[in-house]
Amino acid sequence: MVDQGVSIAPRRVHYAWTVAFAGAAAMVCGLGLARFAFGMMLPSMSASLGLSYGQGGVLGFANMAGYLIAILLAPLVLPRIGTRIAVTANLVLIALSMLGMAATESFSALCALYVVTGIGSGGVVLPAMSVMAQWFFPSHRGLAAGLVMSGPGFGIILSGFIVPRLAPAYGLLSWQLGWAIFALICAAVAVLAFTLIRNHPDTKGHLPFGKAPATPPGSSPMSRSAKLRLLVHMGVIFAIYGAVYMLYVTFIVTSMVDTFSLGEALAGDLWAWFGFLSIFSGILFGVVSDRIGRRRGMAVAFSVLAVSFLSVGFGPWMPGLYVSIILFGLAAWSIPVIMAASAGDFFGSAAAANALAALTFAFSGGQATGPVLAGFLAERTGDFSASYALSGAAAVLAIGLSLLLKTPDASK
């Protein structure tokens, strides 16, 4: 007898895990290099180009603007071309934009190219995460999303070790050489993604992996208006996360160098440790939310994030920095993982991509505003301590909002 929901060929590894692995590899580039390497690059870019804190924030905003464009287009484009083509094409787009950044020293050109990088980033993240709703039943959906979100951690480790050790070569500044190296990595991963990713388990003769639910996801007695209210409520929470997390990853390395007086090599090592810890954050909180429910999982995650932000929110205290890095690493990708799993759980696998697109749009709005406000606030105060303290307060607010969610699993 075939084990329902596991595999038609039970002695073989279910292909869902291959798709999750390919999604994680894509996320190494789509987030780890296209987004988070920027925080590691920013000190050397600022030094060579004379960028202010505000201009650094504007570059971060440019990336988020591109990300928002991708999220707006995804519901129109993704059903037509599928996850496999979408992820592959956007990885190629990221590689090309990085090559462009390696060839310029113009701030305006960098802004334009980083918009393109943001488009590619959003074009990788949404399909790579939402396709897990097709390949996994809710019993393992949080774990699967967590595995995919382990990818950015590897990208952060790469940038943390590579960037501080770069030197000018081949007529390129150190940061330009870094973007060129990352472009080659993204091109290689594009080939891998095209080879391994499949849009639906039907193409491999599989059912989704996991335990089939008694009631199909998205078929709960919630009315359409109740689902809309739930989507808006979740969007507000995701926007808060987007603002505070993007602020942190954009400027924490700059804070290490400017406020904590660390050398770039040591700052890079700490950044790499954050990347290492973050590999496990999505898996950890994916499993937690599978066990205790999505809203409680979010509340626990925001509690950890709040302590992380507040630990660096009151001036240069080295133990606080170490505590902050450790806790942020352990909870870094918790909220995106839980949101991705929730999209399939609450709105059904067929509507998961559209629900996640709406949630990610709110998330991207928060990401776009967080670094800009923090950059200009830092110019007034002299550092980012006040921004981190405000982030801690916002995370506390998000704990309450998470617990107030009226979800189909509200009994958990």
Side-chain angles (χ1 to χ4, degrees):
M1 181 182 292
V2 175
D3 185 8
Q4 184 181 19
V6 176
S7 175
I8 290 179
R11 293 185 180 180
R12 300 175 60 187
V13 175
H14 197 294
Y15 200 80
W17 300 112
T18 301
V19 176
F21 164 76
M27 295 287 269
V28 170
C29 300
L31 280 183
L33 300 181
R35 180 79 58 78
F36 303 128
F38 175 71
M40 196 66 233
M41 294 283 203
L42 187 55
S44 59
M45 291 175 68
S46 297
S48 64
L49 300 178
L51 302 181
S52 66
Y53 286 146
Q55 286 176 308
V58 169
L59 274 171
F61 178 84
N63 186 267
M64 290 306 98
Y67 197 91
L68 281 168
I69 292 171
I71 298 306
L72 286 172
L73 293 176
L76 301 175
V77 176
L78 190 56
R80 290 174 170 81
I81 65 175
T83 296
R84 183 189 189 194
I85 297 301
V87 170
T88 302
N90 282 287
L91 285 169
V92 172
L93 185 64
I94 291 170
L96 292 174
S97 67
M98 287 179 172
L99 285 175
M101 287 191 288
T104 186
E105 296 180 40
S106 164
F107 176 72
S108 58
L110 285 171
C111 285
L113 286 164
Y114 213 37
V115 170
V116 178
T117 307
I119 293 173
S121 180
V124 168
V125 173
L126 182 62
M129 293 295 286
S130 63
V131 78
M132 293 301 105
Q134 299 290 342
W135 279 95
F136 291 86
F137 283 127
S139 63
H140 289 73
R141 197 168 281 159
L143 172 60
L147 287 171
V148 173
M149 278 303 296
S150 69
F154 289 101
I156 290 168
I157 292 172
L158 280 174
S159 64
F161 280 118
I162 291 175
V163 173
R165 292 162 177 80
L166 292 174
Y170 309 109
L172 300 175
L173 297 171
S174 60
W175 59 268
Q176 291 175 313
L177 184 60
W179 287 124
I181 292 171
F182 294 156
L184 294 176
I185 295 172
C186 292
V189 174
V191 176
L192 179 71
F194 183 78
T195 302
L196 297 181
I197 291 178
R198 296 295 182 270
N199 298 332
H200 196 277
D202 288 349
T203 61
K204 302 296 289 187
H206 286 276
L207 294 170
F209 183 87
K211 182 179 179 181
T215 303
S219 61
S220 68
M222 293 178 66
S223 65
R224 189 171 183 176
S225 61
K227 287 186 176 182
L228 179 59
R229 288 194 297 271
L230 174 61
L231 191 66
V232 171
H233 192 157
M234 292 170 64
V236 171
I237 294 170
F238 212 8
I240 293 173
Y241 169 80
V244 298
Y245 118 94
M246 196 60 194
L247 183 162
Y248 191 94
V249 299
T250 300
F251 292 117
I252 191 62
V253 175
T254 299
S255 294
M256 292 182 204
V257 174
D258 293 351
T259 305
F260 290 85
S261 301
L262 302 184
E264 283 197 28
L266 179 55
D269 289 342
L270 287 176
W271 183 245
W273 272 107
F274 153 66
F276 173 76
L277 292 170
S278 74
I279 291 171
F280 308 101
S281 69
I283 299 172
L284 171 63
F285 281 93
V287 172
V288 167
S289 72
D290 282 342
R291 298 293 183 268
I292 69 173
R294 308 306 181 196
R295 66 189 188 94
R296 288 184 180 177
M298 279 190 269
V300 173
F302 274 116
S303 298
V304 176
L305 291 171
V307 177
S308 171
F309 299 143
L310 294 174
S311 295
V312 287
F314 301 99
W317 181 52
M318 285 304 300
L321 175 63
Y322 294 134
V323 169
S324 180
I325 292 291
I326 291 170
L327 292 180
F328 187 77
L330 290 174
W333 319 136
S334 54
I335 303 302
V337 163
I338 296 173
M339 287 292 180
S342 298
D345 289 0
F346 304 154
F347 304 98
S349 58
N354 287 342
L356 189 57
L359 291 171
T360 307
F361 183 79
F363 169 57
S364 301
Q367 289 182 98
T369 57
V372 175
L373 293 176
F376 287 109
L377 181 59
E379 289 188 347
R380 289 180 174 272
T381 62
D383 63 27
F384 293 95
S385 296
S387 298
Y388 298 137
L390 289 173
S391 295
V396 172
L397 172 63
I399 295 171
L401 290 174
S402 298
L403 293 174
L404 290 173
L405 279 170
K406 296 180 179 180
T407 66
D409 67 343
S411 60
K412 291 186 177 180

